[in-house]
Amino acid sequence: MKKLVIGVDIGGINTAFGLVDENGDLYAESVISTKKYPFMEDYPTYVEDLCRAMRSLADSLSFDYELVGIGIGAPNANFHKGTIERPVNLWKYHENESDLDPSRRIFPLAQDIARYFDGTHTLITNDANAATIGEMVYGNAKGMRDFIMITLGTGLGSGFVANGRMIYGHDGFAGELGHVCVERNGRECGCGRRGCLETYVSATGIKRTVFELMAKMIAPSKLRGTAFDDFDASMVSVAAEQGDPIALEAFRFTGEILGRALADAVTITSPEAIFLFGGLSKAGKYIFEPTQWYMEENMLHVFKNKVKLLPSGIQGKNAAILGAAALIWQEQASAE
């Protein structure tokens, strides 16, 4: 009988899920809205509707199968506790947040979904860690025991693998490279601090960089005709391919900030490789080349020319589902 895992990717807008086998083949997939269920008010309804949709998708398969487990990738997820904790992108702002009962900030999602599926083994981790495990199980990190995954989306996520295992830390939240301060009193970050790496290196970060450069430089650029609210990071890649000076400088600056941060990260875990994943990484040479140069330029000498900078091997529309499913498959492999 075919063994399958349900992989679930919870985003701020939508929740995608699908049935995946141990080879990474996706047999069925679907999606529900996340945005319509602010966790503060509608968490129970969200869980119920998600579980019903997952059950319906599984029942649509035309063959018998064994459901081995459910893997979930979500913002602010705690692997150790099976919870989502204070997920800023999933709940409405509460002006008296400090007065809230702490239990209203923590959502036991793994437990709640497992209960609906009659105790089916369910694991949850943050979305960047899910992508990291997906890379290890299905992607270019197969066989690697020490590597770093950098996810370049709206923000910057990261996952650290050492000696073949994810580094979670004692509280489940280790590996937040995106919130390492790279510029004291720098750009304001959604986390409440200033100068975090993701404010410079992310789709949002490069957008902010472009508008700063347009204020500082007089070079002509097609990017100047787009209002901030209408601007999309993919426009920078298109402009760079056309030789746009603002776009090229934006990528150089972004690569400089990222390269320096990666050089520092290397000194902590000494990885074999660093993988770039997500929308901004699709810019190819425009982000990889400056990042590689500045990483080596700032690398401690004992690590120079030892660490590979590589594209993800699971890049694609189903990558997040595969990464979430890989949580279960990796645990299965470790147990064998």
Side-chain angles (χ1 to χ4, degrees):
M1 184 180 293
K2 192 71 177 176
K3 293 184 177 182
L4 297 176
V5 164
I6 298 178
V8 184
D9 172 55
I10 300 176
I13 305 299
N14 291 311
T15 296
F17 50 94
L19 290 121
V20 182
D21 69 12
E22 59 187 336
N23 298 314
D25 293 324
L26 185 64
Y27 287 79
E29 62 181 313
S30 188
V31 64
I32 69 167
S33 171
T34 312
K35 193 175 183 179
K36 68 179 284 190
Y37 304 93
F39 269 35
M40 285 282 290
E41 294 89 357
D42 296 330
Y43 170 75
T45 306
Y46 170 77
V47 173
E48 184 175 353
D49 288 358
L50 173 59
C51 288
R52 284 179 178 172
M54 290 161 59
R55 176 68 75 187
S56 177
L57 182 68
D59 290 345
S60 72
L61 295 179
S62 59
F63 56 88
D64 292 334
Y65 66 93
E66 176 187 349
L67 183 60
V68 177
I70 300 169
I72 308 164
N76 292 62
N78 189 319
F79 175 79
H80 292 327
K81 297 179 180 178
T83 55
I84 296 179
E85 304 185 12
R86 197 182 177 277
V88 176
N89 292 332
L90 304 180
W91 68 349
K92 288 182 179 177
Y93 172 74
H94 193 288
E95 61 181 6
N96 296 315
E97 184 181 318
S98 61
D99 297 331
L100 290 176
D101 180 342
S103 66
R104 294 188 65 190
R105 309 179 195 182
I106 300 175
F107 306 92
L109 187 63
Q111 173 185 309
D112 291 340
I113 288 180
R115 185 184 299 119
Y116 185 95
F117 281 86
D118 302 319
T120 297
H121 186 45
T122 304
L123 296 175
I124 188 170
T125 191
N126 76 43
D127 37 12
N129 286 344
T132 304
I133 294 169
E135 197 70 45
M136 187 160 40
V137 174
Y138 302 124
N140 291 334
K142 281 184 179 179
M144 287 189 187
R145 298 187 62 77
D146 298 271
F147 69 94
I148 299 172
M149 182 77 155
I150 304 294
T151 62
L152 301 173
T154 303
L156 186 150
S158 55
F160 290 73
V161 173
N163 198 27
R165 294 184 176 276
M166 282 292 310
I167 298 176
Y168 285 108
H170 82 282
D171 61 353
F173 290 110
E176 289 287 350
L177 188 64
H179 294 287
V180 168
C181 182
V182 295
E183 185 68 39
R184 295 296 171 190
N185 299 314
R187 294 176 180 174
E188 187 175 347
C189 183
C191 74
R193 304 169 73 217
R194 286 186 172 273
C196 291
L197 179 62
E198 79 168 24
T199 67
Y200 297 90
V201 184
S202 62
T204 307
I206 199 169
K207 174 179 174 177
R208 294 169 78 170
T209 297
V210 165
F211 278 80
E212 288 179 4
L213 289 173
M214 289 193 294
K216 293 177 180 178
M217 297 171 63
I218 62 172
S221 172
K222 292 183 178 179
L223 299 174
R224 293 186 183 277
T226 306
F228 190 85
D229 288 344
D230 298 328
F231 196 91
D232 185 271
S234 63
M235 297 177 181
V236 190
S237 297
V238 173
E241 290 172 356
Q242 299 172 350
D244 187 291
I246 297 288
L248 292 172
E249 175 58 17
F251 276 116
R252 187 209 63 77
F253 176 78
T254 302
E256 177 181 3
I257 300 292
L258 178 57
R260 288 176 174 175
L262 294 181
D264 289 340
V266 164
T267 66
I268 300 170
T269 62
S270 185
E272 177 181 346
I274 298 172
F275 295 93
L276 301 187
F277 171 82
L280 195 58
S281 71
K282 294 177 183 178
K285 67 178 183 179
Y286 297 109
I287 188 66
F288 275 86
E289 289 181 0
T291 300
Q292 179 82 56
W293 194 91
Y294 284 104
M295 183 176 75
E296 292 297 342
E297 178 72 9
N298 291 277
M299 195 83 83
L300 186 65
H301 65 90
V302 296
F303 299 110
K304 281 185 179 291
N305 302 310
K306 291 181 179 178
V307 183
K308 293 173 282 191
L309 185 66
L310 301 170
S312 167
I314 61 168
Q315 193 82 267
K317 67 176 183 178
N318 299 322
I321 294 175
L322 294 182
L327 265 174
I328 301 294
W329 290 123
Q330 186 207 35
E331 185 181 71
Q332 292 268 312
S334 298
E336 294 174 356

